[in-house]
Amino acid sequence: MSDLLQRFTGRKEYFGSLIYDRRRGEYIPFDWDATYIFEETKKHSLNEIFSNLNGKISPQSFQTFVQLSQSIGLINEEGRFVGEILPGQPIPHILSAPLRVHLSVTGSCPLKCRHCSLPPKDSAHHELSLDEMRHIMRQLAAMGTCEVVLGGGEPFYRDDLDAVVLAARECSLDVSLSTSGLFVTRNMARKIAEIGLKSIKFSFDGASEKSYDYLRGKGTYRRAMRGIKILREVFGETPVKMHTVAMKSNLGELTPLLKASQKLGFNTWSVDFVRPVGSVPPASPLLLSDTEVLEAYGTLLRLQENSSTKIEFYQFPSRSGKKTIYRGFGCVGGNLYAHIDPYGNMLPCSYLRGFIPSSNVRQQPIKEIWVEGEGFRTIRNLPGNELCLKCEFFRTCRGGCRARAAAQGNITATDPVCFKLHLPAAALAESARL
């Protein structure tokens, strides 16, 4: 199905535009001059467009831009932009829509994992129906969101999961799936594979049968192995990454977990750290100290230096990288991404549940919640703190994870695992280099 969709879809933003490349599965930001050029190629030649710019861009810069755009397929040999820019006006200071929405398709899961981040099942409210899911997908597509990640609970516990995936794909959304793999059936996997996924994230938190079963229950390790085998066989070339939540019980298994990811054929290993939410109370023995998190991060950096497997780290402040495409203080939650739970509650991030207000997609349009929802306005208007705002890493870090700070009592505070709070200057400089 993806081969039938237009490769490039864009939307106007306060800085210019974002163009989504379906082949590469990523957004590319452009300034207003570039956006103007793309739009004008529909009506004028490149020579006419350059003349109309009245010297705003030098001939060399204009030619370089055109050549780069042609090299990635944005402009064809006839000098025409080959994508589309959706109608709509940019919104001052914020993105007009989330880049990606994480949608929990069900809260159901028979497992009782020790580290589960989900709240108790909401028996007072019905889960979103298939028709409601379709309505959500249509709204996201109309806004210009191009990616949705389906999770749970356990998404394979929903018997119409293939219909949910199809609803998203029919709206031209790229779909990724997050699963424990324990409830994968070959029949459902085949149905979904025929529709198409961008990627699959497979949760795997124990390198041995003993450590895995300790977290998820007796016999779950072998079921996970079976699920991985089915996904590998059915989905073929679809990227499948392994995801690990690091905690006390598996902190000593980082190296074996990397080896497990390689043995099982994953080309990417993503690592996050357990938070005091869901089944994990603030005094849980699974929680790591701030120092342990930083030490684990150092271990992962060293492992990456000697491994062909890509290791992804989530929400670490003070890492070098590209400047973010949003302004203000705070992490990607509510600025780039959003979360919708199985009952329609929409938040900047699932980990912020209980710390800031939510809005419900059954009561308000998603666009309205994204722009004006109380929780989203709260997260975007955080004043920050002096240490972060004056930090040389602020343009890339933006203060780090707000959920970690909120869990320690102050949502505007410095991320508790900030390198500058724990490491000497020499070590900080080395971490930035890496």
Side-chain angles (χ1 to χ4, degrees):
M1 183 177 292
S2 59
D3 293 337
L4 303 178
L5 297 176
Q6 185 164 254
R7 178 179 173 184
F8 297 105
T9 299
R11 67 192 203 211
K12 291 182 179 178
E13 300 293 354
Y14 65 87
F15 50 79
S17 63
L18 278 174
I19 307 293
Y20 186 71
D21 182 349
R22 297 186 188 283
R23 186 175 300 173
R24 300 178 59 140
E26 61 183 31
Y27 291 87
I28 312 170
F30 291 97
D31 62 18
W32 278 114
D33 289 334
T35 305
Y36 170 81
I37 293 169
F38 290 143
E39 290 189 305
E40 288 298 296
T41 63
K42 301 291 186 179
K43 300 173 289 185
H44 302 289
S45 70
L46 290 173
N47 287 336
E48 290 172 330
I49 294 171
F50 177 73
S51 177
N52 292 339
L53 285 168
N54 294 318
K56 288 183 65 178
I57 302 176
S58 70
Q60 182 177 357
S61 295
F62 184 82
Q63 187 63 31
T64 299
F65 170 75
V66 171
Q67 289 175 347
L68 287 173
S69 297
Q70 290 178 328
S71 71
I72 60 176
L74 274 166
I75 294 178
N76 63 21
E77 293 181 357
E78 289 73 39
R80 299 288 186 264
F81 173 57
V82 299
E84 67 169 339
I85 295 181
L86 300 174
Q89 295 300 313
I91 302 171
H93 311 305
I94 69 171
L95 295 187
S96 61
L99 305 185
R100 179 189 305 153
V101 168
H102 295 255
L103 174 60
S104 293
V105 297
T106 180
S108 296
C109 180
L111 301 176
K112 298 188 182 298
C113 300
R114 296 174 186 265
H115 59 300
C116 181
S117 64
L118 293 177
K121 190 172 181 180
D122 187 350
S123 58
H125 297 90
H126 295 296
E127 292 186 351
L128 293 166
S129 67
L130 178 57
D131 282 343
E132 288 175 314
M133 293 282 182
R134 290 180 176 130
H135 186 48
I136 287 172
M137 304 306 180
R138 289 193 292 268
Q139 290 184 75
L140 294 179
M143 293 169 65
T145 296
C146 292
E147 292 186 277
V148 62
V149 179
L150 305 181
E154 170 48 57
F156 277 96
Y157 219 62
R158 182 162 177 148
D159 58 12
D160 62 352
L161 178 60
D162 58 323
V164 176
V165 175
L166 180 61
R169 299 297 292 132
E170 287 179 336
C171 291
S172 301
L173 298 171
D174 276 354
V175 184
S176 296
L177 190 66
S178 180
T179 176
S180 68
L182 273 71
F183 303 96
V184 174
T185 64
R186 194 175 297 276
N187 181 51
M188 179 60 77
R190 283 173 174 164
K191 289 180 180 179
I192 296 173
E194 289 177 1
I195 301 167
L197 291 177
K198 176 185 177 182
S199 65
I200 301 170
K201 185 169 72 174
F202 196 101
S203 298
F204 196 86
D205 306 304
S208 68
E209 184 171 358
K210 180 179 180 180
S211 62
Y212 190 100
D213 285 3
Y214 168 77
L215 291 171
R216 297 188 185 270
K218 187 175 181 180
T220 55
Y221 177 85
R222 296 188 179 186
R223 291 174 64 185
M225 292 295 103
R226 174 182 171 275
I228 291 174
K229 182 179 179 181
I230 292 174
L231 292 175
R232 277 289 177 207
E233 291 176 354
V234 173
F235 282 90
E237 298 301 315
T238 300
V240 183
K241 73 169 63 173
M242 188 175 95
H243 178 71
T244 296
V245 177
M247 61 200 101
K248 286 277 191 184
S249 66
N250 64 10
L251 192 59
E253 291 190 323
L254 294 180
T255 299
L257 279 164
L258 173 60
K259 292 180 179 178
S261 73
Q262 295 167 335
K263 182 178 179 180
L264 294 170
F266 297 103
N267 54 11
T268 303
W269 178 36
S270 65
V271 183
D272 202 354
F273 292 84
V274 67
R275 290 173 172 83
V277 294
S279 300
V280 185
S284 171
L286 293 177
L287 291 171
L288 301 170
S289 69
D290 301 338
T291 301
E292 286 174 322
V293 171
L294 287 165
E295 290 175 348
Y297 179 54
T299 298
L300 293 169
L301 285 173
R302 290 189 292 274
L303 289 173
Q304 179 68 96
E305 289 181 336
N306 299 301
S307 173
S308 59
T309 299
K310 180 182 178 182
I311 303 177
E312 294 179 344
F313 318 99
Y314 290 116
Q315 291 301 321
F316 272 94
S318 295
R319 289 192 64 209
S320 60
K322 295 181 180 179
K323 185 176 70 172
T324 56
I325 58 172
Y326 64 92
R327 299 174 179 175
F329 172 78
C331 57
V332 295
N335 288 298
L336 300 183
Y337 307 143
H339 169 78
I340 301 175
D341 77 9
Y343 315 102
N345 299 306
M346 184 168 168
L347 280 163
C349 168
S350 63
Y351 290 124
L352 287 168
R353 182 177 54 243
F355 296 116
I356 61 174
S358 64
S359 302
N360 198 283
V361 301
R362 284 170 165 157
Q363 300 166 358
Q364 289 178 268
I366 293 175
K367 178 83 170 186
E368 184 178 302
I369 295 173
W370 172 257
V371 177
E372 296 291 343
E374 185 177 356
F376 289 87
R377 286 190 287 109
T378 297
I379 205 72
R380 293 179 191 134
N381 292 318
L382 294 176
N385 59 80
E386 187 174 0
L387 179 63
C388 289
L389 296 177
K390 292 183 178 180
C391 177
E392 64 269 32
F393 295 102
F394 182 68
R395 293 181 71 191
T396 56
C397 169
R398 296 291 174 184
C401 178
R402 292 303 89 213
R404 275 198 294 254
Q408 295 201 6
N410 184 356
I411 196 171
T412 65
T414 302
D415 188 323
V417 301
C418 173
F419 283 80
K420 296 195 77 169
L421 295 179
H422 298 272
L423 298 181
L428 177 61
E430 179 65 11
S431 71
R433 183 188 68 79
L434 296 172

